[in-house]
Each structure stands twice: as C-alpha cells, then as structure tokens.
Amino acid sequence: MHRTAVVSPPTEGVPPMGLKSSINAAAKAAVLTDTADLQGLVALCELLRQLSSDAASEGKADIAASSSEAADLSEGIVLRQVKDVEAAFQRVLEAINLCDTACEQASAPQREPADPELLTAWVASCEAAIPELEHLTVHAETNGFVGETAADIRRRIHTLKGECGVLSLSEAQSICHDLETLLDSSTDSFPAEAVLAVCDWMKSLANTLAMDQCSNEPDSRAVRATLSPQVAAVTEVIAVVASVTTSSTATATASVCAVTDDDGLRDLDSIPADLKVYMNLENADENIGDFALEAREHLANAEAAVLSLEVTPNDAELVNVVFRAFHTIKGVAGFLHLPRIVEVAHASEFLLDKVRSHKIPLTTHVLELVLASSDLLGQLIGMLSGGEPPRERELKVLVRRVEAACEGRVIGAMSSSDSNAPKAAASTLTTPTTSDVKDSLAQDTNSAAIADVVAATTLVKTHATNKADQTVKVSTQRMDTLVNLVGELVIAQLMVVQDPEVVSLHEQRVQRNLAHLGKIVRDLQETSMSLRMVTLKSTFQKMARLVRDVASKAGKRIQLEVEGEDVELDRNVVEEIGDPLVHMIRNACDHGIEGCEDRRAAGKTEHGTLRLRAFHSGGSIVIEVEDDGRGLQRERILRKCLEKGLIDPSRNLSDIPDNEVYSFVFLPGFSTAEKVTDISGRGVGMDVVRRNIEALRGTVEIHSDPGKGSVFSMRLPLTMAIIDGMVVRIGTQRYIIPTLNIERTFRPSTDQITTVLGKGEVVKVRGNLLPIHRLRRVFNLQEGVDELHQGLLLVLESGKRRSCVFVDEILGQQQVVIKSLGESRSQIRGVSGGAILGDGRVALIVDVGGLLETAAHASVAAA
C-alpha cells in the first residue's frame, strides 16, 4: 500500500536546509516505507527523533512535539504496540505534514554546529576517511563487492552516518542511509558511481564546514539523483521479497528489527542465540582501544557538565553537552557491537532528550541517574582494558530506573547490601513497578542472561589480553615544539661534552656520567622523532580514486597495484609528496599507458598496470611509480631539446646518457605530448615535481624501456629533522656529509690517480674508475690542501651515481639537527641546510645528490 506525505518543494535553486532538510528526509523515508518494512520504520523513527531533538534545540516546540509524537507512533508500530497499524502510520504522515507546515511558517535560521570541537575533529578525520572509502570502492569495482572489502565499505558508511547524526548533519545522515539501502540490495553489480558521488558530496560538505561551521549543507540534489531512483527500486524489491518470504524467516527478521535500532541493541537478552551469531556480536574490533579512550573523554566532559547543571539547571547548552556525550558513545558502541554499552547509553540519551524537549524537568533525581549511568558506562568501558564487569542486576535496575524517569516516575535504587538478593532488590522499588522489576530480575537469573554476560566478558578480556597501546590526542604544534626542543637539547649536550674544559677532565666517574647522559639524550631523540613518523597508507589510498578518474576520462582501462603503504616517513615529508605523486600518476595514465587498441596492437593486455610502491633503501625511502606503457621516447625528447636550444647541435646525440636525456622532462614548460588535454600535456607539472622533492632533500630519477614502460623513482630522507653525519674539514670550513651516502673513505696513493686531458681526475677503486670532485672547487673556496695524497677521498653514492669527493680531513661522526638556511635565501645547489656543532660553529650539510650532479655538470662544461 503506497502513501504520500505532502511536503512543499524547495525554492528553485535553493536546497532545503536545517529543519527543512530533516523534514524532507523524514518525508522521503515515510514515502518509501510501509507497515511491513520494519527496518524502514526503525530508520524513520530515528530520523523523527533527530528532527525532534533539533527542533527542540532551536526552540521550535511545535515541530519538536509533532515529530516526537510521530517517532513514538513509528516505534509502537515496530514493537506492535498499536492496535490499528494502518491508522497509526497515517497519523505519522499527518505529523510530518504538520512539521512541514510549521517550518514553512517560520523563518529558517542558519544552522548552528552541534559541537564545534566535535565538528572540527570530524572535518579533520574526513581527510583520511573519505579517501580510504574511495580506495575500497575502486578495489571493489575491480575485484567485486565481496568478503572483507564489502564489510569494510559497509562499516565505513555506517560510521559516517552515525557521525553525521551526532553532528546534526541530517541531510548527510539521510544520504548515507540511502546509500546503505542501495548497497544492501546490490547483488548483481556494485554501485561504484553512487558511492563515489556520495564521497564527493561528503568532501564538499567537509570543506564547507571547515570554512564556516555554521554553514548549511551543500545542495544534495545531484547526489540524490544518483541515489533516489535506485533506492526507490530497492524499496519495491524489499517489499516484494517481504511479501513472499517464509513465516519463520519473517519472524526472525521481525525479532531482529524489534530489538535493534541503527546504532545497536535495545535488549540483547531478547535475541535468540542463533540470531546473536547472525548479528556477529561475538567479534571484537581493532578500533576498540581508540573508542575506549574517546569514550572516557566524553564521560569526563559529561560529568563536568552535570556538576555545572547542579548550579545552573537552566543552561540548555550544558544539557546538550551531556546529551551529545551519551549519543556519541551509543553510536560508536553500536558500530563496534558492544550491546551493554549501547543499552545504558541509549536509555540515558533518551532521558536527556526528554529534558531537552522540555517533556520532563531537570531534577536532582535526573542528574543523579545521569551520573550513575556515567559511572556504569565507565565500568563497562573499563572491561575493554581487562577490568571487572558490573553485575547484570545493577545494569538492569539502572536501565529500569532511567526508563521510569523518562515517564516521570521514580524508582528507588538497589542498595549494595541487597545486591545479591533479587527479592530484597525488588522490595526497594516503589509500588507502580514492583512486579515489572521482579520479573526483570527473575529473567536476569536465567542461564541465557548469565551466558550472555560471560560471553561479553570473555570477548572484551580476550581483546585486552595483549594490552594494546593506549593513544592520546596531541596537537601537532606541540609535537613539533617537542622535537625542536629535543634537537636543541642534543646541541647543548654536544657543547657540554666537547667543551675543552670538560674534555680535559679524565676522572672516570665524570666520563661515565657523560656517556650515560649521551645515551639518554639519544634515546629521547629517537623517541621524539618516532612521534613524527606516519605511514604512507592515506596518501597512497587517495591515488586509487585519481587513477580511476583519469583512466575514465582518457577512455583507458588501468589497474593500480600498491605495495609498501605501511612504510613510515616523517609527517612533513608525507604532506609534501602528495602533489608530486599526483603529477607523476596523471602523466603515467594520460601519456605513458596506451589506449586499449594501441595495447592490443603492441601485443599487450587491454588493461594497463600502474604500480605504486614504497620501500627502504640505504637508510632512505624510495617511492616508485611504474607503468607498463609505451615508455619515454628518447628521440622525441632530443628533438624537442634541439628545438628549444637546450643541447648544443654539435654534440653527438648518441653519446648523451639516458639519465641526462630523461632529466630534461623536469624543465619548466618542457613537454613532448602531441596534444594538450585537460589532464596533462602543458609541461607545467614535472618541474614542480623535482622542485618539491629537492626541497625535501630528496632526488628523483627516471628509468624507461621503450615499448615496455617507465619508472619514476623518488628517494626521500626518513626524517627532516636529524641525520647522522660525518664532519669533514676543508681549510677552516666544516661540512657535514650524511653517513648513509658514504660508501668508504681512504687516503689515495699516487698510482691510483689518473688525470684525463690534464683536467679531469679519476681514481681506481676496487677495479672501477670513479671521478674525483674537489669540494673546495665545487664551493669556490680559497683554502684547503691541493695534493690528493695529503687529504682523504670519500666514495659517495646517490641512487646509481658514484663519485669520490676530496676533503682535507675527517673530524668525526655525530648526529646533527638540521637547521634551515632561511626562506629568503635561494636554495644552494649541493647544500640541504645547516647544523650547529658542539663548539658552537655552523657547518653546512651537503646534499650528496645535488653535489654530484652539480660537480658532474661542471666537469662536462670544463671539458
């Protein structure tokens, strides 16, 4: 039976916002629901409860009352507590129409954020959460919406829906709900376009709220157009299936729907054992540790607000703070399948909602119940860390007392001396509910309830056996300040240890204490640096969506393979490599990998493959972007270089090494693309790639095999703050060379040195001839020794390039803190920064990659 709820359309070009949006969402849910659709009714009930809560907080008492009445009727239909189901549902539709009429008559104020702190945290989390969802979606589109991938996508969308509900983002919550409905019915094909459309809209929402927390939700008509026709069809299918299902299945489904809501369980004891297995209540979740930490923070804030309410009971914002704390805990606990926490939080949340909507007064008894609920939730959350669980009777009695308070009744508390006696506990209750509580306590003693408690206790204790690390939220600014202070401590410790007066002390006790101090400082340094290390997972996952979109726009079929996403890098490095990766992947998809016809003609598969990998190499991190496309065309690059005058026409082109040829693609404005597309081809990206990577003290190289593909390799330092370096001297100047780039050092003999054309010098090292670069000449110093046998040679390696650098002396090895030379100074080729030595002098840190490249170019120019 189809019904209609009359809701006035929004003004052309203006999307429905605030309460209007919530009413439209409820009206739509009502249209798509009938009295046999228990899941739809539960969702409708939640939308109406949210609408009532929002209306009460905005002072719209008439809308709050009508929506609350409609929610109660919807719940009554679900629990089959109304005699005439059809009449009750018709009253629900009428109540929604009344809400719409009242909303039209009132002015629509700008939306106020539910909680600025929560909203800010949510916007920040979206930066990682939505790309992860996009990555999973692209994977599911290629490999099928099955297994853990499907479960992970569902969980993430459900989490987004719950978070949007907490933040009063009703339109976003409704969109996520519709997407869930669509996914639940997707048996033949996975609606990747719909999921990605929702991701785009959610990113737009997050960006809007990041600029103005009071902004209304963006226009959702486009994303609704992607979802609505499919959701309507899904609803029809569900109705047909429900009409022909067997009675036993219908009974089981009704049992599940009757005792659950969107966030979790209402009464776990009423679920049969086989349905508990079906609902996967025995499985723990890897996010439980984070939930416990955040839940404790919410409870602490709620308790502080309750104590303030005892002094100022009319402060509506304090009530909202407490309500949001319980609502958030309930939503996340439901997602993590923690039914006992859901049960207590749901009862307390409902009580506070009654207070917010002015249906019951905020009395001392209500505040005491809220604090008791907070204490019990704290004990339940403590179970996640191996703590003892509360007694089942205490939990049930508290829930009954809270439920009675929602109806304006008062039930006495159970004393501790009577906690083990059901009859004594029951005798403490007032007359109106004595029999109910006796029945409840009698039921709590049955074996099923006891088994449930034991199972829940076993679940959380099993999860907490290994005592997973606890985490805390720390401001990145504070973390960076800590790292900087530790760096200064390292410098100060070196100054003390290398002070001449301290060096002259030969007392064993002093030297032992100084050595112990040095060990503690090094350990503190390593620990502080580890705080800045993050994985590449989030950055890599964003690339999955990029590859999909670029391939779709270019009409190609490209598969992305990712390796090493768990590799850790300095947070500052990770933040800076996003743009270079985007440019390289875009070029690989647009220019590198051929179209399907060209690949078939070349004897390749129609699917192109793009590999994104990260791995450790020689103390650095290497990130590679590899494609199996056509490769770089050396001749075309050389022809372009001749046109632009980048190569001397008299040079023998065949003698130019490949790495030098390929390096021209990093020049500004250089492009060999036959045509410019809206994706790439203007030659304005690869110069940015090299500039950004070199700013991170990294290098980028290209290796290409014509017809088979190309590899773009970025070599990056693990951290931007501290390095192990070898301090060398040239005259009176000091330089620091990273030890990871030093292969060996030696003092050359005369017979090892060979001079080429009277200028270039090479040395024979283990059968190989390596060029010699005098550091004093590279940096134009007017001091230092001239004779090679009077100094030392350092064999340096950077990527696949090896050379020797001549210095006067090696002064020692030490860890140094990298200091910037200042933003006002242009980057010095071959220098990555400076460091303060133990004697207070400043030494320049050598960028080995830039140094060897500069020296090689200088040698070629001299020749």
Side-chain angles (χ1 to χ4, degrees):
M1 179 177 180
H2 296 280
R3 303 171 180 82
T4 57
V6 180
V7 178
S8 55
T11 304
E12 185 66 27
V14 181
M17 296 297 178
L19 293 180
K20 179 68 174 177
S21 178
S22 298
I23 294 170
N24 285 346
K28 177 185 173 185
V31 171
L32 298 177
T33 304
D34 60 31
T35 55
D37 183 6
L38 296 179
Q39 290 181 339
L41 287 169
V42 169
L44 175 61
C45 180
E46 286 297 312
L47 287 173
L48 291 169
R49 295 254 184 245
Q50 184 65 45
L51 173 59
S52 177
S53 174
D54 294 343
S57 63
E58 292 189 20
K60 309 298 182 185
D62 49 351
I63 297 177
S66 297
S67 54
S68 179
E69 178 188 1
D72 292 339
L73 286 169
S74 300
E75 186 172 5
I77 296 173
V78 171
L79 300 177
R80 292 301 186 258
Q81 294 176 346
V82 295
K83 294 181 179 179
D84 191 341
V85 172
E86 295 295 336
F89 192 78
Q90 189 59 40
R91 286 166 57 193
V92 171
L93 299 179
E94 293 172 357
I96 294 174
N97 286 334
L98 287 175
C99 291
D100 182 66
T101 301
C103 185
E104 287 294 324
Q105 293 173 350
S107 59
Q110 192 179 30
R111 187 189 67 82
E112 295 183 2
D115 187 307
E117 185 176 350
L118 283 178
L119 191 59
T120 300
W122 179 79
V123 170
S125 70
C126 283
E127 184 177 351
I130 296 177
E132 288 176 358
L133 179 57
E134 290 178 333
H135 174 75
L136 289 168
T137 301
V138 174
H139 180 77
E141 186 180 31
T142 304
N143 302 295
F145 186 60
V146 294
E148 183 58 31
T149 300
D152 204 358
I153 291 175
R154 294 178 192 274
R155 283 195 298 266
R156 292 177 187 276
I157 294 173
H158 188 76
T159 300
L160 273 176
K161 181 180 76 170
E163 291 172 344
C164 291
V166 171
L167 297 169
S168 300
L169 301 172
S170 55
E171 183 66 7
Q173 183 183 24
S174 175
I175 287 173
C176 291
H177 175 75
D178 285 352
L179 182 57
E180 279 186 311
T181 304
L182 183 60
L183 290 177
D184 287 341
S185 67
S186 299
T187 56
D188 297 331
S189 61
F190 173 58
E193 293 294 343
V195 179
L196 294 176
V198 172
C199 288
D200 289 339
W201 187 85
M202 293 295 291
K203 283 191 285 189
S204 174
L205 171 63
N207 292 336
T208 300
L209 296 178
M211 293 184 289
D212 182 5
Q213 292 189 346
C214 293
S215 295
N216 292 312
E217 296 171 80
D219 190 346
S220 61
R221 282 175 291 182
V223 70
R224 287 286 187 190
T226 306
L227 292 171
S228 296
Q230 296 163 305
V231 171
V234 168
T235 306
E236 294 295 333
V237 172
I238 292 174
V240 173
V241 172
S243 66
V244 298
T245 188
T246 62
S247 58
S248 58
T249 304
T251 303
T253 305
S255 300
V256 175
C257 295
V259 296
T260 61
D261 60 15
D262 259 357
D263 294 315
L265 301 178
R266 294 187 180 183
D267 187 358
L268 185 66
D269 292 337
S270 60
I271 301 179
D274 56 337
L275 287 182
K276 288 183 185 178
V277 176
Y278 170 75
M279 296 173 70
N280 196 26
L281 300 182
E282 283 80 7
N283 293 333
D285 191 279
E286 60 181 6
N287 298 316
I288 282 184
D290 293 336
F291 161 71
L293 175 68
E294 295 183 359
R296 290 190 182 98
E297 292 181 6
H298 290 310
L299 290 178
N301 294 335
E303 290 177 359
V306 170
L307 296 178
S308 299
L309 280 170
E310 291 181 334
V311 180
T312 57
N314 296 324
D315 193 332
E317 183 53 36
L318 289 176
V319 176
N320 289 335
V321 170
V322 184
F323 171 83
R324 285 192 294 268
F326 284 99
H327 186 82
T328 303
I329 291 173
K330 183 192 81 167
V332 181
F335 171 69
L336 295 175
H337 305 302
L338 302 173
R340 289 295 182 242
I341 297 177
V342 170
E343 185 177 9
V344 177
H346 178 74
S348 305
E349 174 205 22
F350 193 68
L351 174 64
L352 290 163
D353 190 49
K354 293 281 188 181
V355 174
R356 292 205 315 167
S357 58
H358 307 291
K359 291 185 177 180
I360 62 173
L362 181 63
T363 63
T364 302
H365 176 64
V366 170
L367 293 177
E368 288 176 352
L369 287 177
V370 173
L371 288 175
S373 300
S374 177
D375 293 339
L376 186 58
L377 282 174
Q379 192 172 356
L380 289 168
I381 292 167
M383 293 170 61
L384 305 178
S385 301
E388 291 298 322
R391 285 187 289 270
E392 182 73 2
R393 291 191 185 89
E394 291 181 4
L395 187 150
K396 285 298 182 185
V397 168
L398 177 61
V399 171
R400 297 295 185 190
R401 293 180 66 205
V402 174
E403 290 175 347
C406 292
E407 300 172 1
R409 297 181 286 110
V410 177
I411 300 179
M414 180 172 63
S415 65
S416 58
S417 61
D418 294 334
S419 60
N420 293 324
K423 292 183 179 179
S427 65
T428 64
L429 306 179
T430 56
T431 303
T433 57
T434 300
S435 60
D436 293 339
V437 175
K438 280 184 178 180
D439 292 339
S440 173
L441 294 178
Q443 293 173 1
D444 290 337
T445 60
N446 63 35
S447 59
I450 294 173
D452 180 36
V453 177
V454 172
T457 305
T458 303
L459 163 64
V460 295
K461 285 193 173 181
T462 299
H463 178 78
T465 299
N466 296 327
K467 286 286 184 180
D469 291 342
Q470 297 293 318
T471 58
V472 295
K473 295 179 180 178
V474 179
S475 165
T476 55
Q477 184 177 2
R478 291 184 181 181
M479 185 174 63
D480 290 341
T481 301
L482 172 64
V483 173
N484 291 335
L485 289 175
V486 171
E488 297 299 329
L489 177 63
V490 171
I491 295 173
Q493 184 256 347
L494 289 174
M495 288 182 173
V496 171
V497 172
Q498 297 179 10
D499 188 276
E501 295 190 9
V502 175
V503 173
S504 65
L505 296 175
H506 300 292
E507 188 175 347
Q508 186 177 1
R509 179 176 56 83
V510 174
Q511 296 299 326
R512 184 175 63 251
N513 291 340
L514 288 175
H516 183 59
L517 172 63
K519 181 180 183 304
I520 292 174
V521 171
R522 285 194 300 272
D523 291 344
L524 177 61
Q525 184 182 41
E526 292 176 1
T527 302
S528 64
M529 291 308 306
S530 68
L531 298 178
R532 292 172 54 141
M533 305 299 282
V534 297
T535 68
L536 288 164
K537 184 176 182 179
S538 176
T539 302
F540 278 15
Q541 286 180 336
K542 294 177 182 178
M543 302 304 146
R545 176 73 185 274
L546 175 66
V547 171
R548 179 191 184 275
D549 291 347
V550 173
S552 176
K553 184 173 291 188
K556 300 177 181 179
R557 302 171 68 180
I558 303 175
Q559 180 177 354
L560 176 66
E561 297 179 359
V562 177
E563 300 175 17
E565 60 182 10
D566 293 329
V567 170
E568 290 186 334
L569 263 176
D570 189 296
R571 176 174 57 85
N572 294 336
V573 178
V574 173
E575 290 176 353
E576 294 296 329
I577 63 174
D579 284 345
L581 272 180
V582 167
H583 284 298
M584 286 190 286
I585 289 176
R586 213 178 257 156
N587 279 349
C589 293
D590 193 29
H591 300 309
I593 298 178
E594 312 94 330
C596 296
E597 294 183 2
D598 292 338
R599 291 182 65 84
R600 282 196 300 267
K604 300 180 181 180
T605 61
E606 290 187 0
H607 278 86
T609 301
L610 185 68
R611 295 180 180 88
L612 179 60
R613 66 170 69 94
F615 55 90
H616 291 266
S617 175
S620 301
I621 296 295
V622 177
I623 299 177
E624 292 184 346
V625 178
E626 179 183 0
D627 66 72
D628 64 348
R630 58 173 60 93
L632 294 180
Q633 300 181 27
R634 173 188 168 96
E635 294 73 17
R636 182 178 293 180
I637 295 175
L638 289 173
R639 187 165 59 251
K640 198 75 173 181
C641 290
L642 290 173
E643 291 176 4
K644 290 180 171 287
L646 300 174
I647 297 178
D648 188 344
S650 62
R651 255 183 105 174
N652 188 349
L653 299 183
S654 60
D655 292 340
I656 303 177
D658 287 343
N659 60 347
E660 182 180 346
V661 174
Y662 297 149
S663 66
F664 285 113
V665 304
F666 293 112
L667 295 178
F670 190 91
S671 176
T672 60
E674 296 178 354
K675 62 179 181 178
V676 175
T677 69
D678 57 350
I679 302 174
S680 57
R682 298 183 184 274
V684 295
M686 297 307 291
D687 62 316
V688 176
V689 169
R690 184 165 69 174
R691 186 166 61 248
N692 289 0
I693 293 174
E694 289 178 347
L696 298 172
R697 294 188 291 108
T699 59
V700 56
E701 296 180 352
I702 303 175
H703 306 282
S704 184
D705 190 352
K708 296 183 178 180
S710 304
V711 181
F712 288 74
S713 300
M714 293 186 292
R715 183 175 292 270
L716 300 163
L718 280 171
T719 175
M720 294 290 294
I722 297 174
I723 61 168
D724 286 309
M726 194 75 74
V727 183
V728 301
R729 179 181 64 83
I730 296 97
T732 60
Q733 303 301 318
R734 314 283 180 89
Y735 294 90
I736 297 171
I737 300 176
T739 55
L740 294 174
N741 295 108
I742 301 176
E743 183 180 307
R744 61 176 300 197
T745 63
F746 65 99
R747 190 182 299 276
S749 59
T750 305
D751 59 344
Q752 289 179 290
I753 307 299
T754 303
T755 303
V756 180
L757 300 177
K759 294 184 178 180
E761 297 170 315
V762 296
V763 60
K764 193 169 186 179
V765 181
R766 295 176 179 174
N768 297 318
L769 290 177
L770 299 180
I772 298 174
H773 305 300
R774 296 174 181 259
L775 209 56
R776 61 183 291 261
R777 293 179 182 173
V778 175
F779 291 137
N780 295 319
L781 300 178
Q782 303 303 317
E783 53 185 324
V785 299
D786 287 324
E787 299 298 329
L788 292 176
H789 65 274
Q790 294 178 345
L792 293 172
L793 287 178
L794 283 71
V795 181
L796 303 184
E797 181 180 13
S798 177
K800 295 186 177 181
R801 178 175 285 163
R802 294 171 71 231
S803 296
C804 289
V805 170
F806 178 66
V807 300
D808 292 5
E809 182 185 6
I810 294 177
L811 300 179
Q813 179 181 353
Q814 68 182 57
Q815 281 192 329
V816 295
V817 180
I818 300 172
K819 298 289 185 181
S820 171
L821 298 179
E823 296 181 359
S824 59
R825 295 181 177 273
S826 58
Q827 185 176 0
I828 303 174
R829 193 72 174 164
V831 175
S832 59
I836 302 175
L837 300 179
D839 57 4
R841 299 177 65 179
V842 175
L844 294 178
I845 299 173
V846 174
D847 171 21
V848 175
L851 172 72
L852 297 185
E853 186 176 347
T854 301
H857 287 169
S859 299
V860 171

